[in-house]
Amino acid sequence: MNKQYSMTSSYDVIYEALLPKLAECNLAESAARFNLPIDSDGQITINFLKRDYHITNTGVIPVDGKPVNINNRSILIHYVLSQGTGDPVYSFKPLFRMTTIFSSGDTGKVSMMDAPLIKIFGNNVNQLDETIIKLGGKPEISKEPYSRCWLVEVLPKIPVKIIYREADEDFPVEIQTQFDESAPEFLEFECLAFLCGCLVRALIKTAEYGTVDGWE
């Protein structure tokens, strides 16, 4: 076993700390708010990055029984605990621009979360396209020249846009994840950052293994 997972990590501690809150959560109310299926035992089923999970008042379990990163499970608890309402507005901006009132524009410095995508997919936009589609994303018509984009509904009511901008004589290739402006209504900024990390990791691992499951 990888040493990283052979001992309790700080991420495991975060998950364990969320369990008492999950125990008190009205899952039927959460299911209704997010339009999620819930069975007679009060068990929610949710699809997250093309894998199904069961959420009960005792925890989050992947339906396929295969390993999953602990952060994915924590994000799902935060999600069902959220009191967010409404619908996406389908207006997108980078996550780091949601933390300031000076948030106009869509371009800027490469974020630390997007940098790994550039390293893996910067020279292979077709591989990026194939990987995004495997994770349930759909190509969109880009409004920017020399670019391509996709829309991924990472969680119900939390769509994410991924933009690939070609290199030119002045700028290198850029790959950028952008969140719907309504996303902070459903998850706090720190949780959205973790969610972005889960998406980036899923893209890289899916490209590496050729499938959305079978990796932790």
Side-chain angles (χ1 to χ4, degrees), residues 24-25 36-37 48 95 98 109 120 171:
E24 298 176 358
C25 179
L36 298 170
F48 179 37
L95 191 57
M98 292 186 178
K109 63 182 180 181
I120 300 298
F171 296 100

Side-chain angles (χ1 to χ4, degrees), residues 22-40:
L22 182 63
E24 298 176 358
C25 179
N26 185 335
L27 292 180
E29 191 275 334
S30 297
R33 187 170 59 255
F34 292 114
N35 195 28
L36 298 170
I38 184 168
D39 63 22
S40 58

Side-chain angles (χ1 to χ4, degrees), residues 7 10 17 21 28 41 70 87 94 107 124 129 145 159-160 168 170 208:
M7 61 187 72
S10 60
K21 297 179 181 180
D41 294 325
I70 194 69
D87 294 297
T107 60
N124 196 337
D129 175 64
V160 174
D168 59 25
D170 297 315
E208 180 180 353

Side-chain angles (χ1 to χ4, degrees), residues 106-134:
D106 288 329
T107 60
K109 63 182 180 181
V110 175
S111 77
M112 292 179 61
M113 288 179 286
D114 294 333
L117 295 179
I118 298 172
K119 181 179 179 180
I120 300 298
F121 300 106
N123 294 322
N124 196 337
V125 67
N126 291 328
Q127 184 187 32
L128 177 63
D129 175 64
E130 293 170 1
T131 304
I132 292 173
I133 290 172
K134 284 181 180 179

